[in-house]
Amino acid sequence: MASDVLMKKLTQAILEQTITKRANATHKGDYGRILIIGGTEQYGGAVIMNALAAVHSGAGLVTVATHPSNFTALHSHLPEAMVTDYTQDLTSFIRSADVILIGSGLGEQLTILTTTLSSVTPEQILILDGSALTLLAEHQLNLPDARVVLTPHQMEWQRLSRLEIAEQTPENNLTALATFPAQTILVLKKCHTQIYTENDSFELTIGGPYQATGGMGDTLAGMIAGFVGQFHVSLENAVLAAVYAHSAIADDLARERYVVLPTQISAELPKLMHRYAEKKTDKL
Amino acid sequence: MASDVLMKKLTQAILEQTITKRANATHKGDYGRILIIGGTEQYGGAVIMNALAAVHSGAGLVTVATHPSNFTALHSHLPEAMVTDYTQDLTSFIRSADVILIGSGLGEQLTILTTTLSSVTPEQILILDGSALTLLAEHQLNLPDARVVLTPHQMEWQRLSRLEIAEQTPENNLTALATFPAQTILVLKKCHTQIYTENDSFELTIGGPYQATGGMGDTLAGMIAGFVGQFHVSLENAVLAAVYAHSAIADDLARERYVVLPTQISAELPKLMHRYAEKKTDKL
Amino acid sequence: MASDVLMKKLTQAILEQTITKRANATHKGDYGRILIIGGTEQYGGAVIMNALAAVHSGAGLVTVATHPSNFTALHSHLPEAMVTDYTQDLTSFIRSADVILIGSGLGEQLTILTTTLSSVTPEQILILDGSALTLLAEHQLNLPDARVVLTPHQMEWQRLSRLEIAEQTPENNLTALATFPAQTILVLKKCHTQIYTENDSFELTIGGPYQATGGMGDTLAGMIAGFVGQFHVSLENAVLAAVYAHSAIADDLARERYVVLPTQISAELPKLMHRYAEKKTDKL
Amino acid sequence: MASDVLMKKLTQAILEQTITKRANATHKGDYGRILIIGGTEQYGGAVIMNALAAVHSGAGLVTVATHPSNFTALHSHLPEAMVTDYTQDLTSFIRSADVILIGSGLGEQLTILTTTLSSVTPEQILILDGSALTLLAEHQLNLPDARVVLTPHQMEWQRLSRLEIAEQTPENNLTALATFPAQTILVLKKCHTQIYTENDSFELTIGGPYQATGGMGDTLAGMIAGFVGQFHVSLENAVLAAVYAHSAIADDLARERYVVLPTQISAELPKLMHRYAEKKTDKL
């Protein structure tokens, strides 16, 4: 299927442009208050992977709203994150967040999603992942007036866009995205992930099948949350940089591993980010 | 006791033949949906070791059906795996799995075993380990019409085959295996593990007594699940490769360790598999 | 805003002066019995980070009084620490401690704070952190007759001192500190942390924005507890050394990391302390 | 206080004599079935450290009987160990064990101790540590007819022997030990740990104050359990080798650490043991 859309290929330039060296007189409040919502009893690992990625990417403060049965495992990985029961009222948590990531391992928790959608405000960034996307499609929910990022894989995008996977061409994807609120960013996860904005489209040319393992998407969603919370050059740039960094680390780890685990990617994040922040400094 | 059966000696060629470099346009669904069933309150470590081995061997998606008291420890090791309560109906989980591994640390949970045996379908791979083998023997249960792998140690094989350990010669083992459904594969764990198929038998000549520690078999069972879920050259080859890789890693770790822990073997898997996938590529 | 107070700049000399090589005929009782009180269900990570820092800094015995839901995650990180339910009577625990650190992740647990304040004795060291400082300010509680260390960030110090952040000059801080019991030490956490004693003030010139992440202060509080429990040259010196060591490790880790996690600082403590204890020995 | 007893100084020869290379045709049953009993809700870390030491020293099978609240943290560290609730009947567990270690973090659980004392049999090895020693002294319990190892620190030995610490000379210790059943081995933990047998006494000259931290004794007790379960040259030799190895590793780690954590010692065990097993082989 030939395409008229010329997708921009992402290169490491996006990391150099986005990952800035931190200014000295800054504090954790400057690097994003992230609220992660998800993780049923069965899928608790998803929010652990979200949170590992967000904290390692440098998020200032991370709170995880999840099923209480997941608190201990989360803290075993990450005492740096705070927790709260997602069946309780989340309004005050949502209000004080800069970035809300909802959906990884959320299962059928529709009420939690609808409450979140009705609580976010225009200046907040809302990332919808995993089960949240399926619930959105099934219940034909409207996206709120906020800065929205959608991170579906191809089947979830089919549910959202009504485009069969075979029909998910750049043209069709852009047309479908236009039916969502303006400025919504679409991260379409596939063999080579694509990112669509209102006027532009981008293609990842790195990454590989060593990433084909459960939890890879949860880690990406957590990285996007971490990046958009601290890099304010533009929402688009922060998302693009997170997507690129995720596969760049995987490629690097795959030089000596048959499969790359999602948690290994998070562990490597601070070092990759350091390399690119320094590169930028060198150039200036 | 002289033997007329000439057992084939496993060499690293089995790794080169089996561990293929992944094709680019693949996703996690291509690398096996594994369901692990086991782990009472007392033996929860067994399914943790199963799952660590399966995930590190590159399984696409791993779900662990176990006693709920094991959820948190499992997620502390491995947020990449999903969990479910094994006392609830497992039918839908079994139906959507490519590979079912049942028995490590299963204890006396007979109902869970019988439900599983009656739910699997011919195209599925069913691996029976540990307590499942003892229950099978004690209750004289029939194996289902599926692609079955049995992983007994010598005492468990005695219970299943009615062969005393001293009588477990290759001839006798092959004869006993013939009483099980055709195509059942027997992995007989012992000092040098032996693998029997309908028409063939293989012997491991590597490995050593530094592997004589609790949990070693649970790790092997998890590796077999991971390998058979992704390497489709033949069920036999995938099983043989898993058995060989398990002891090859142990030998390597034992160069500087008096005892090798099961969890250390899993941690090394991605690197060993990478080395053999690359070897193969070099040759083509 | 010009200042008449000349703040002393902390250098690594404080580590050489404070971290002494341990005498041979000593036992764990010589290195401080630390009681850490804090950690609601939501903020359990805070006391885990307190305890990791205290144990890695060489504290003899560490007990954590916290919400029982935090016991397992704490032990997953640190079997070296003991636990107790902070809703039970803590009197005997307080009585047998050399150092009490209260407040990290304590939330609204006012009763626990007031009981602690009324139980400490003059020879004990009491460190007040996080929520304890906010409760102290909100409820206008009096500090007990003990050797007190306060570790507020700028907003907490505003609540305690009634000094707006912009008014927190060295002069004003010293004046405000004079309204607290004599010998109280103030660790004012900010971009470059400042330490005030009755007659002196010190400024940290190391550290950086890679430390701007949740939990950094909990780790510092735990290190202060560990240091004051074992280095008896003076309370002031022990506090100064802990503050300096915290950022010295962060600087070191930041040479190859964009963000430094609090738990990574604790893990590095034994090596940094070794280097300075040896330096001192070399000089004698 | 001059002494007429000439204590033998332990050297690394005890490791070379004791740690034998494993024979090929052996399995986990040959390396000891260890039952560890201890760990109240408050002191659960103690049995975790016991078990880490036993498993890393090469024990064949390790079961931990403890308060159920400790199961998850134990499995988070060590899926290789099995668990059981220590408030349930332990008779069958005791019966099937080769070595029983009771007392680390046991607190006031007198009934568990008396049941254990009345269940052990003469061919079993019983190691009494921590709270078990205090309960033994307080309740004037008799030791059973078994192969007993006592691991008190000086205060616990005072309670057991009625010897004030200042009176704990080699002569007095030997005299006091003679009031216990013949063949009881005493490991008296102090600055330089001493080991007493019916006819002999030994002194450790290695180790140092970097070991003065909570949990060090729990790790030693677990190592003794691991060593006596697998090295059958003599009970005495196995105990002596464990004591020596514990401090040899600590000395090694202390070359670059101010304080050595108990769990770090366990992690190093397989490598130290390998070095000495190889040395022996080289000599033969």
Side-chain angles (χ1 to χ4, degrees), chain B residues 223-243:
Chain B
M223 283 176 63
I224 293 174
F227 275 50
V228 301
Q230 67 187 297
F231 300 126
H232 305 299
V233 55
S234 80
L235 183 60
E236 177 186 305
N237 262 32
V239 171
L240 292 172
V243 172

Side-chain angles (χ1 to χ4, degrees), chain A:
Chain A
M1 201 176 320
S3 168
D4 291 341
V5 177
L6 187 65
M7 302 194 85
K8 294 175 183 163
K9 295 203 189 308
L10 285 175
T11 69
Q12 60 175 37
I14 191 66
L15 298 183
E16 296 174 34
Q17 287 160 25
T18 308
I19 302 175
T20 46
K21 203 165 177 176
R22 291 181 165 192
N24 271 327
T26 52
H27 61 91
K28 61 189 171 188
D30 296 316
Y31 298 112
R33 291 163 196 274
I34 315 288
L35 177 64
I36 293 167
I37 306 171
T40 61
E41 274 187 283
Q42 188 183 339
Y43 302 125
V47 285
I48 294 174
M49 290 185 284
N50 285 163
L52 281 166
V55 168
H56 282 88
S57 68
L61 283 166
V62 174
T63 298
V64 179
T66 185
H67 190 283
S69 65
N70 297 320
F71 288 4
T72 293
L74 179 81
H75 274 150
S76 294
H77 285 277
L78 208 57
E80 289 88 350
M82 293 162 285
V83 294
T84 196
D85 179 351
Y86 72 0
T87 63
Q88 304 295 309
D89 180 24
L90 295 179
T91 317
S92 70
F93 290 95
I94 293 171
R95 204 176 301 138
S96 63
D98 302 312
V99 179
I100 297 129
L101 162 57
I102 185 167
S104 308
L106 185 66
E108 306 291 322
Q109 303 293 322
L110 178 62
T111 311
I112 296 175
L113 177 60
T114 54
T115 305
T116 302
L117 293 178
S118 65
S119 305
V120 294
T121 52
E123 72 281 2
Q124 291 183 308
I125 300 171
L126 176 69
I127 305 164
L128 291 148
D129 185 58
S131 318
L133 298 166
T134 300
L135 290 170
L136 206 67
E138 279 175 1
H139 299 273
Q140 308 198 358
L141 304 174
N142 287 320
L143 287 175
D145 182 14
R147 306 166 70 198
V148 175
V149 180
L150 307 174
T151 60
H153 54 53
Q154 292 169 292
M155 182 54 66
E156 287 162 345
W157 180 234
Q158 176 178 319
R159 290 181 200 128
L160 277 171
S161 67
R162 314 285 172 193
L163 292 169
E164 298 289 321
I165 291 177
E167 295 168 345
Q168 295 177 4
T169 61
E171 286 83 356
N172 290 344
N173 289 335
L174 279 172
T175 307
L177 181 61
T179 67
F180 290 85
Q183 302 189 323
T184 298
I185 295 179
L186 167 67
V187 177
L188 178 55
K189 297 182 290 194
K190 46 185 292 195
C191 175
H192 288 304
T193 290
Q194 298 171 340
I195 300 96
Y196 295 89
T197 65
E198 205 174 345
N199 305 307
D200 230 337
S201 63
F202 304 86
E203 190 177 28
L204 194 63
T205 59
I206 62 171
Y210 30 83
Q211 291 171 272
T213 189
M216 206 43 91
D218 304 317
T219 292
L220 176 58
M223 284 177 62
I224 293 174
F227 275 50
V228 301
Q230 65 186 299
F231 301 126
H232 305 300
V233 54
S234 78
L235 183 61
E236 177 185 307
N237 261 35
V239 171
L240 292 172
V243 171
Y244 190 87
H246 180 258
S247 283
I249 295 173
D251 283 1
D252 199 42
L253 292 171
R255 278 186 215 144
E256 49 176 31
R257 284 173 186 82
Y258 188 74
V259 65
V260 172
L261 297 202
T263 47
Q264 292 170 334
I265 291 182
S266 293
E268 291 300 313
L269 258 170
K271 293 188 181 175
L272 174 107
M273 293 174 75
H274 175 76
R275 287 199 300 274
Y276 285 95
E278 293 298 313
K279 274 195 190 174
K280 178 156 189 173
T281 308
D282 291 352
K283 277 196 222 154
L284 297 180

Side-chain angles (χ1 to χ4, degrees), chain C residues 196-276:
Chain C
Y196 296 89
T197 65
E198 205 174 345
N199 306 306
D200 231 338
S201 64
F202 304 86
E203 191 177 26
L204 193 62
T205 58
I206 61 170
Y210 31 83
Q211 291 171 273
T213 189
M216 207 39 92
D218 304 317
T219 291
L220 176 59
M223 284 178 62
I224 293 175
F227 275 50
V228 302
Q230 66 186 299
F231 301 126
H232 304 300
V233 55
S234 80
L235 183 61
E236 178 185 306
N237 262 33
V239 171
L240 293 172
V243 171
Y244 190 87
H246 181 259
S247 284
I249 295 172
D251 284 1
D252 201 43
L253 291 170
R255 276 185 218 145
E256 51 176 33
R257 283 173 187 83
Y258 188 73
V259 66
V260 172
L261 296 203
T263 47
Q264 292 171 334
I265 290 182
S266 293
E268 290 299 314
L269 259 169
K271 293 190 181 175
L272 173 107
M273 293 174 76
H274 176 75
R275 288 198 299 273
Y276 284 96

